[in-house]
Amino acid sequence: MNNDRILRGILLMLAFCVMAPLLDTASKLATADIPVGQITTARFLVQGALMLPIALLMRLPLRMNGKTTALITLRAVFLIASTYGFVAGVQVMPIADALAIVFIEPFILLILGYLLFGNPVGPRRIAASIVGFAGALLVIQPSITHYGTAALYPLGTAFSFAFYMLITQAIATGMHPVTQQLHTSIAGSLLCLPIMLWANGSGITELDPVMPQGLNWLWLFGVGFWAAASHMCMTVALKCAPASTLAPLHYLEIVTAVTLGYLVFGDFPNALTWAGIVIIVASGLYIIHRERVTLHQARSVLPSEI
């Protein structure tokens, strides 16, 4: 992996950190008039429509076996839950607050890796995870006071996205990133559309679809477009540079989120939220550091065992 490829990966990861909050901003703008379930459905419809011509132009194989189809469907279920939770959260709370809560996802992945796969987890990383969760509570507690239980939705997003990432890792080696996005979008659409049809006219606020008017069409398109663009940047970035190099850059997303939240909605984190953000980010960076140390130790031991 040469320096040019690593630099390209870093630039693509920075692009992700800029574009992902644009997805969040479009979602929050749409929630003023559009139900959360409809926004979630729009993400998959638009993303699928964008990915299909790309996959066809690249002449990628689109057939899947039964096992892969099941994993893609499960991946879509968790991404639906993740998207719905985040959109429901930012409907009432600032984007930066919701994103800070979602940033506990690496700690959840660490715990799931230990519980499901027996991955070794040292006491330092366990301690960092506990501290990170404590930081999340600093964001969640005042948010519940101001916004009610909706402040817990981003917590559900963090758990759902952690499972989504585990499934993504399981299929990453056998499927092209564009095909992954396309099939996940198709599966997500097929799962969401029947719910929207069932909820039509039901009066269920979060699900009953409405006809978009004016700029709402743009916001709904933006949700799918920025989702597709940002996740493609991240996927390609991981092919250009090591995850250990890119992972710390992910936290720069909070900078874009705070900036857009202030410019578009006039939101700015208070002192307690900033304290929580700092604790979460610091704990996450420490876990990334420990992962690097562990990997380096494993590599240094390996030659002597051969």
Side-chain angles (χ1 to χ4, degrees):
M1 205 173 272
N2 59 46
N3 289 335
D4 288 341
R5 282 179 58 83
I6 292 175
L7 178 60
R8 190 180 306 127
I10 290 172
L11 292 175
L12 285 168
M13 191 65 188
L14 292 175
F16 168 84
C17 292
V18 171
M19 289 190 287
L22 289 171
L23 156 63
D24 305 333
T25 301
S27 300
K28 187 173 178 67
L29 288 167
T31 57
D33 302 298
I34 308 296
V36 175
Q38 188 175 351
I39 297 170
T40 303
T41 304
R43 170 188 177 151
F44 291 99
L45 289 172
V46 174
Q47 189 169 344
L50 292 172
M51 289 292 105
L52 180 57
I54 295 174
L56 293 176
L57 286 172
M58 295 177 67
R59 297 182 178 179
L60 296 172
L62 300 181
R63 296 184 63 181
M64 297 185 295
N65 58 37
K67 180 182 177 181
T68 304
T69 300
L71 287 172
I72 283 289
T73 303
L74 192 58
R75 185 176 189 254
V77 168
F78 284 119
L79 189 56
I80 290 169
S82 173
T83 303
Y84 185 96
F86 195 81
V87 175
V90 298
Q91 184 177 24
V92 297
M93 64 192 298
I95 294 173
D97 292 37
L99 185 61
I101 297 170
V102 174
F103 271 160
I104 67 170
E105 178 257 341
F107 314 137
I108 298 171
L109 268 179
L110 192 71
I111 295 169
L112 288 176
Y114 171 74
L115 294 177
L116 298 178
F117 307 110
N119 295 340
V121 179
R124 295 178 183 178
R125 280 179 285 179
I126 292 175
S129 298
I130 293 172
V131 172
F133 277 111
L137 290 177
L138 290 179
V139 181
I140 292 171
Q141 184 180 357
S143 296
I144 290 179
T145 303
H146 287 91
Y147 312 114
T149 54
L152 295 176
Y153 277 117
L155 191 60
T157 292
F159 278 92
S160 298
F161 198 75
F163 281 104
Y164 166 85
M165 288 299 295
L166 286 175
I167 296 171
T168 300
Q169 291 172 16
I171 62 176
T173 56
M175 182 178 288
H176 193 279
V178 171
T179 313
Q180 284 184 43
Q181 287 210 54
L182 173 60
H183 284 309
T184 302
S185 300
I186 293 172
S189 299
L190 292 175
L191 291 169
C192 288
L193 283 173
I195 298 174
M196 292 296 99
L197 290 173
W198 169 81
N200 188 30
S202 67
I204 301 174
T205 306
E206 295 81 4
L207 297 176
D208 192 354
V210 300
M211 179 58 67
Q213 302 293 328
L215 286 175
N216 284 322
W217 286 106
L218 180 61
W219 307 146
L220 290 176
F221 176 79
V223 169
F225 175 82
W226 293 118
S230 61
H231 282 265
M232 279 305 300
C233 280
M234 176 185 279
T235 303
V236 178
L238 288 168
K239 287 184 173 292
C240 294
S244 58
T245 300
L246 300 178
L249 298 175
H250 189 191
Y251 289 103
L252 291 175
E253 187 181 347
I254 197 72
V255 176
T256 309
V258 170
T259 302
L260 288 172
Y262 179 73
L263 293 176
V264 180
F265 305 106
D267 296 327
F268 195 78
N270 58 32
L272 195 59
T273 300
W274 272 119
I277 291 172
V278 169
I279 291 172
I280 293 168
V281 171
S283 301
L285 290 175
Y286 180 77
I287 284 179
I288 292 168
H289 166 69
R290 290 305 306 170
E291 293 287 348
R292 285 177 171 176
V293 170
T294 303
L295 182 62
H296 176 73
Q297 290 174 344
R299 286 175 175 172
S300 63
V301 169
L302 187 60
S304 64
E305 296 179 342
I306 296 176

